[in-house]
Amino acid sequence: QEQLTESGGGSVEAGGSLRLSCVVAGYISNRYCMGWFRQAPGEERRQGVAAIGSNGFTYADFVKGRFTISKDSAKNTLYLDMNNLKPEDTAKYYCAKDLCSAVAGAELQGARYGYWGQGTQVSVSS
């Protein structure tokens, strides 16, 4: 059973920064790709934020230049550094993983991922 555990969420003012972490139980094989998604209040769909795929990094347009995704394989941890946060970034943030072969070409589509964490809440006030 894959287990992903997010942490690092919190409440910040606009312009602030947060670092989210996602610890993966076991070893992060290079066969697996990972991403961050978010679900805003009242929204049914989880929105792709950033992902590490077979061909590199992918970012949603609304976070380019502000968010950075990274991975520390030695610590089995995926990170999302979020800078210049805006009120519209308020959401519950989830990490997800699946075989790179399953998500190739659609790294920001949540439906491609089969393993999810429980999420961590980020709230940004104006």
Side-chain angles (χ1 to χ4, degrees), residues 33-37 47-65 67-70 78-80 103-109 113:
C33 291
M34 298 190 67
W36 285 99
F37 296 79
Q47 188 179 40
V49 175
I52 301 178
S54 298
N55 296 322
F57 304 96
T58 304
Y59 292 94
D61 287 343
F62 53 81
V63 301
K64 284 182 180 177
F67 292 10
T68 303
I69 188 172
S70 61
L78 182 75
Y79 299 101
L80 184 68
V103 305
E107 286 82 0
L108 294 184
Q109 290 187 19
Y113 292 80

Side-chain angles (χ1 to χ4, degrees), residues 11-60:
S11 298
V12 297
E13 293 184 350
S17 300
L18 285 172
R19 177 178 238 203
L20 305 185
S21 300
C22 171
V23 178
V24 181
Y27 170 65
I28 302 179
S29 166
N30 287 334
R31 297 191 304 133
Y32 283 85
C33 291
M34 298 190 67
W36 285 99
F37 296 79
R38 70 186 190 186
Q39 188 169 10
E43 295 288 330
E44 292 187 3
R45 189 177 65 89
R46 292 179 183 177
Q47 188 179 40
V49 175
I52 301 178
S54 298
N55 296 322
F57 304 96
T58 304
Y59 292 94

